[in-house]
């Protein structure tokens, strides 16, 4: 097992904040809108540096999505900022009609995704957003794994022409990917080559997958670990190639198992190369208040849970 | 007087033809929304044939052009006819409205690359936000042209409209002229019975808009109102025109009732309607 290290834990939302400023420096057409969560989304630096390109919309997410869609007419590249819940479920029809169906170059930046938003509880902990967004034709769906990857993803999506859903989170997580990485939309990242099982993880579950890989190595199980940061379009070739070698898959994500990355992989395998798959994901329930570590444990999203699923899936080969 | 005699004559001719197109399109598709389309015809003709600076060589960004957004997308027939009659696409294509493999979808969309359409609408309440966003982009681009938006009155029951209504004056969006098709009818009946808008002028004024009122089926009065609205642009406030129209205007048996909101005329009714719409141009 390849060794992964990190020097500090950082929040992915801060990676977005830094990436947004960088993207705005690179392209004067980048603008940002926020629905009264500027601090939470780490958009303060952008607002300070580019006040004429920052639009406070108040607590009115539906209007924000429409404004962003309209701003693309004239060549602007708008990033909308609010929590993942209010970036998707609350405004699904606005995104569907004014952004996706209208093919507008809007970047939906969604923070505080999943359980690890923590103490605020289930009203804010959306676990359905990836499914909602990946079902929209033409929507690119990205869920980076750490600060550096989120920063790189933010810069990359500003250059991409078309609607994008960019999902990140609140808690600090190990920042282990390279600082100067090139982010390729739709391209899987091979973290560790192995032969017994393919672990495919997204978001901050990628670090849990690495920890699981270390535990498995001690047990003599050689895991291939792939970071899928782009849920849609899915890097089908990378997944099929890996599974052809290992013969089984464990997916890991902070999302309902229905509609998430695991489901996309299961569908891919079903169509091309049926192999056993186990999913580390939330089991079709809502979340609850708690600190992130407690929630990850209670809802089965830790390295230990990945290890257990690996053992189960290998037995099914 | 904002229209010369010959201008008015020419515009009336176009309006008559657009109304003929509308009833023929809806009849041909055996469905659609003739009522609101006929009621708003005069606005479309005035904007596209007199007041908007725009090119039939369509560009999505519309830089240095005036932009129009239709929020109540169900009256698409009048927009399609106006665009075709101006030269955006062949008038013959009007025949494909609401049919399979058409660019003229039941509700407007840029998805099929129809020239003149920049945003999908149909799910109500979204157009004003989009228009404000486009107006913002014009300001950022130092583009002095204007943005126009049309909404239905029943549509104002959607909450997003009031989010947008609150936003625009707060951000001094003064390059926007919005219109309400104030015909008092919606699918289930009179707006006042379904969900009354009460004092609509007071509502918009209290949100910080400059409110104008006009008869939307009187070319001269509407023309004067548009000119007045244009003069009021650039003064820090968005403008809204409460445009009183008669649903189905131009065809007597379709007028003033919600019955013709979303029903197509049969063969006899079509013939009767076309007999009332004379002195147009050439049918497609």
């Amino acid at each position: 097992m390849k060794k992964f290290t990190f020097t500090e834990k950082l929040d992915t939302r801060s990676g977005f904040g830094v990436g947004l400023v960088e993207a705005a420096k690179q392209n004067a057409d980048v603008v940002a809108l926020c629905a009264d969560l500027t601090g939470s989304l780490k958009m303060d630096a952008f607002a300070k540096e580019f006040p004429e390109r920052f639009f406070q919309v108040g607590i009115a997410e539906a209007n924000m999505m429409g404004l962003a869609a309209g701003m693309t007419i004239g060549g602007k590249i708008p990033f909308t900022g609010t929590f993942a819940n209010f970036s998707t479920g609350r405004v699904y029809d606005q995104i569907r009609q004014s952004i996706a169906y209208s093919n507008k170059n809007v970047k939906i930046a969604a923070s505080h995704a999943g359980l690890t938003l923590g103490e605020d509880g289930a009203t804010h902990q959306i676990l359905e957003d990836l499914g909602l967004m990946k079902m929209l034709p033409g929507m690119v769906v990205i869920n980076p794994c750490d600060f550096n990857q989120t920063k790189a993803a933010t810069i990359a999506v500003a250059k991409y022409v078309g609607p994008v859903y960019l999902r990140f989170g609140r808690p600090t997580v190990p920042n282990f990917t390279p600082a100067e990485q090139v982010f390729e939309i739709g391209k899987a990242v091979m973290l560790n080559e192995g032969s017994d099982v393919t672990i495919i993880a997204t978001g901050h579950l990628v670090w849990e997958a690495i920890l699981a890989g270390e535990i498995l190595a001690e047990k003599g199980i050689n895991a291939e670990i792939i970071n899928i940061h782009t849920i849609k379009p899915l890097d089908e070739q990378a997944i099929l190639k890996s599974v052809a070698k290992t013969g089984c898959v464990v997916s890991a994500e902070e999302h309902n198992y229905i509609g998430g990355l695991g489901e996309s992989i299961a569908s891919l395998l079903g169509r091309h190369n049926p192999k056993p798959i186990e999913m580390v994901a939330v089991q079709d329930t809502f979340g609850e208040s708690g600190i992130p570590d407690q929630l990850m444990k209670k809802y089965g999203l830790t390295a230990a849970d990945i290890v257990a699923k690996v053992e189960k899936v290998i037995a099914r080969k | 007087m904002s229209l010369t005699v010959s201008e008015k004559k020419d515009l009336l001719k176009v309006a008559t033809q657009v109304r003929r197109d509308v009833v023929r399109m809806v009849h041909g598709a055996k469905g659609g929304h003739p009522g609101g389309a006929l009621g708003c015809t005069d606005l479309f003709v005035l904007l596209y044939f007199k007041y908007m600076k725009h090119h039939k060589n369509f560009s999505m960004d519309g830089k240095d052009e005036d932009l129009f957004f239709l929020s109540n997308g169900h009256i698409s027939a009048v927009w399609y006819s106006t665009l075709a009659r101006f030269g955006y696409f062949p008038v013959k294509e009007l025949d494909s409205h609401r049919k399979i493999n058409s660019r003229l979808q039941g509700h407007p969309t840029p998805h099929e690359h129809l020239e003149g359409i920049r945003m999908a609408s149909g799910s109500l309440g979204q157009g004003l936000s989009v228009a404000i966003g486009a107006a913002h982009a014009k300001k950022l681009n130092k583009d002095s042209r204007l943005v126009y938006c049309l909404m239905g009155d029943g549509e104002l029951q959607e909450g997003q409209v009031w989010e947008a209504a609150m936003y625009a004056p707060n951000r001094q969006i003064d390059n926007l002229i919005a219109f309400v098709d104030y015909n008092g009818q919606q699918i289930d009946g009179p707006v006042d019975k379904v969900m009354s808008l009460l004092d609509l002028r007071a509502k918009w004024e209290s949100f910080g808009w400059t409110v104008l009122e006009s008869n939307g089926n009187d070319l001269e009065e509407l023309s004067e109102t548009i000119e007045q609205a244009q003069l009021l642009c650039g003064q820090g406030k968005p403008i809204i025109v409460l445009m009183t129209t008669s649903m189905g205007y131009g065809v007597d048996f379709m007028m003033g009732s919600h019955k013709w909101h979303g029903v197509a005329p049969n063969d006899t009714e079509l013939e009767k309607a076309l007999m009332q719409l004379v002195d147009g141009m050439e049918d497609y």
Side-chain angles (χ1 to χ4, degrees):
Chain A
M1 173 74 190
K2 195 173 152 189
K3 190 74 188 158
F4 288 88
T5 56
F6 64 93
T7 51
E8 58 184 332
K9 283 182 153 189
L10 292 170
D11 51 350
T12 48
R13 57 182 167 149
S14 287
F16 164 69
V18 173
L20 183 62
V21 170
E22 183 60 33
K25 283 179 183 164
Q26 291 176 10
N27 188 337
D29 281 327
V30 169
V31 299
L33 303 88
C34 188
D36 197 32
L37 287 169
T38 313
S40 298
L41 268 285
K42 303 294 179 188
M43 293 169 98
D44 332 52
F46 179 98
K48 199 174 167 195
E49 195 149 344
F50 305 101
E52 74 291 354
R53 288 154 65 183
F54 178 74
F55 303 93
Q56 171 62 261
V57 304
I59 309 165
E61 296 82 5
N63 185 43
M64 176 167 71
M65 293 303 166
L67 290 173
M71 285 180 185
T72 66
I73 297 165
K76 299 301 153 199
I77 305 169
F79 281 74
T80 64
T82 182
F83 289 170
N85 190 27
F86 314 134
S87 294
T88 55
R90 188 177 181 92
V91 291
Y92 197 61
D93 188 44
Q94 284 76 17
I95 295 173
R96 181 176 182 274
Q97 174 171 286
S98 294
I99 297 175
Y101 184 45
S102 293
N103 191 27
K104 294 301 174 217
N105 191 21
V106 174
K107 317 303 170 186
I108 302 164
S111 184
H112 291 56
L115 294 170
T116 51
L117 168 144
E119 297 85 338
D120 280 345
T123 54
H124 288 49
Q125 292 163 332
I126 195 161
L127 294 163
E128 308 90 40
D129 56 325
L130 294 177
L132 285 168
M133 300 312 282
K134 81 180 185 184
M135 280 200 296
L136 290 171
M139 182 67 71
V140 167
V141 180
I142 296 175
N143 185 24
C145 68
D146 68 359
F147 175 98
N148 285 342
Q149 196 176 71
T150 309
K151 179 186 167 192
T154 305
I155 295 165
V157 303
K159 292 175 184 162
Y160 169 83
V161 180
V164 174
Y165 179 64
L166 179 63
R167 179 202 216 222
F168 43 89
R170 180 191 181 208
T172 59
V173 294
N175 186 30
F176 67 96
T177 65
E180 300 308 320
Q181 63 188 285
V182 176
F183 187 94
E184 288 184 71
I185 294 170
K187 185 95 175 147
V189 180
M190 175 65 74
L191 293 174
N192 188 63
E193 294 196 22
S195 53
D196 298 327
V197 61
T198 303
I199 302 174
I200 302 175
T202 194
H204 65 101
L205 270 280
V206 175
W207 183 254
E208 298 297 321
I210 289 169
L211 296 179
E214 289 169 357
I215 298 166
L216 290 164
E218 284 172 19
K219 295 182 175 214
I221 297 170
N222 187 9
E224 180 141 303
I225 304 173
I226 295 175
N227 168 207
I228 288 284
H229 50 57
T230 307
I231 313 294
K232 183 185 169 189
L234 193 63
D235 190 342
E236 299 189 342
Q237 292 313 311
I239 294 168
L240 291 171
K241 190 177 164 196
S242 176
V243 176
K245 179 170 62 172
T246 63
C248 63
V249 178
V250 170
S251 62
E253 61 193 313
E254 189 185 6
H255 191 270
N256 193 351
Y257 83 96
I258 298 171
L261 170 65
E263 186 188 78
S264 288
I265 296 167
S267 164
L268 173 72
L269 296 181
R271 281 176 282 128
H272 295 280
N273 183 16
K275 295 290 178 197
I277 177 168
E278 293 288 337
M279 299 176 193
V280 172
V282 175
Q283 298 301 305
D284 201 20
T285 66
F286 290 104
E288 65 181 80
S289 294
I291 60 171
D293 284 349
Q294 293 171 326
L295 292 162
M296 295 280 283
K297 201 168 176 187
K298 178 165 178 176
Y299 289 85
L301 304 178
T302 66
D305 297 297
I306 296 174
V307 169
K309 294 280 188 184
V310 165
E311 289 172 338
K312 190 173 170 191
V313 84
I314 286 176
R316 290 174 56 203
K317 276 213 268 187
Chain B
M1 185 107 132
S2 49
L3 295 178
T4 65
V5 173
S6 76
E7 255 183 335
K8 189 178 172 188
K9 194 179 157 209
D10 291 347
L11 290 167
L12 272 174
K13 198 177 178 71
V14 179
T16 299
Q17 187 57 48
V18 168
R19 287 191 164 97
R20 286 183 71 88
D21 288 346
V22 166
V23 289
R24 292 182 73 238
M25 286 164 76
V26 174
H27 169 264
K30 297 186 174 60
H33 298 81
L38 293 171
C40 291
T41 297
D42 301 303
L43 175 69
F44 278 82
V45 170
L46 277 175
L47 287 180
Y48 275 87
F49 284 81
K50 179 163 171 71
Y51 289 109
M52 280 169 51
K53 182 195 171 196
H54 63 115
H55 316 300
K56 59 186 180 184
N57 296 324
F58 178 67
S59 80
M60 181 55 78
D61 279 342
K63 283 185 179 160
D64 300 318
E65 287 184 83
D66 293 321
L67 306 180
F68 175 82
F69 293 96
L70 178 66
S71 191
N72 48 330
H74 55 274
I75 68 164
S76 57
V78 60
W79 198 12
Y80 294 147
S81 167
T82 305
L83 289 170
R85 292 289 166 188
F86 191 82
Y88 277 85
F89 55 85
V91 289
K92 183 68 199 145
E93 202 170 342
L94 295 175
D95 193 38
S96 71
H97 178 224
R98 293 174 73 94
K99 294 174 184 165
I100 193 78
N101 298 324
S102 174
R103 302 196 297 167
L104 281 63
Q105 291 291 297
H107 293 83
T109 175
H111 193 261
E112 312 303 330
H113 309 290
L114 184 67
E115 295 85 357
I117 311 288
R118 295 187 168 86
M119 184 63 59
S121 60
S123 176
L124 294 170
Q126 300 187 29
L128 186 59
S129 302
V130 171
I132 296 168
H136 257 317
K138 286 222 175 282
K139 282 176 174 278
L140 288 166
N141 291 336
K142 311 234 179 303
D143 175 344
S144 61
R145 301 313 306 183
L146 301 177
V147 176
Y148 296 88
C149 176
L150 173 61
M151 296 175 278
D153 50 1
E155 179 178 14
L156 303 184
Q157 291 155 0
E158 291 281 6
Q160 186 183 345
V161 172
W162 301 100
E163 293 185 5
M166 192 180 294
Y167 181 89
N170 266 295
R171 299 290 174 262
Q172 290 81 49
I173 302 296
D174 57 6
N175 52 345
L176 170 72
I177 302 173
F179 295 84
V180 175
D181 178 16
Y182 205 6
N183 62 24
Q185 306 290 336
Q186 60 187 109
I187 294 178
D188 275 359
V191 175
D192 276 345
K193 282 197 177 166
V194 176
M195 185 57 61
S196 176
L197 303 168
L198 297 176
D199 189 341
L200 193 55
R201 183 184 183 103
K203 277 191 171 64
W204 286 99
E205 280 177 344
S206 73
F207 274 73
W209 291 62
T210 298
V211 183
L212 302 177
E213 294 181 44
S214 181
N215 179 343
N217 295 129
D218 179 323
L219 274 180
E220 282 179 31
E221 185 181 329
L222 185 55
S223 155
E224 281 164 17
T225 307
I226 293 170
E227 289 181 13
Q228 191 189 351
Q230 288 177 331
L231 287 173
L232 288 165
C233 285
Q235 296 182 19
K237 287 170 78 172
I239 293 146
I240 189 151
V241 180
L242 305 182
M243 187 182 72
T244 308
T245 66
S246 177
M247 188 178 263
Y249 188 83
V251 178
D252 59 6
F253 62 88
M254 289 186 178
M255 280 169 69
S257 158
H258 64 272
K259 186 196 156 202
W260 287 94
H261 171 93
V263 179
N266 61 28
D267 293 351
T268 315
E269 287 162 339
L270 173 69
E271 203 177 326
K272 206 173 151 196
L274 291 177
M275 279 168 64
Q276 298 176 32
L277 299 167
V278 290
D279 290 331
M281 296 144 76
E282 204 174 312
D283 285 337
Y284 62 83

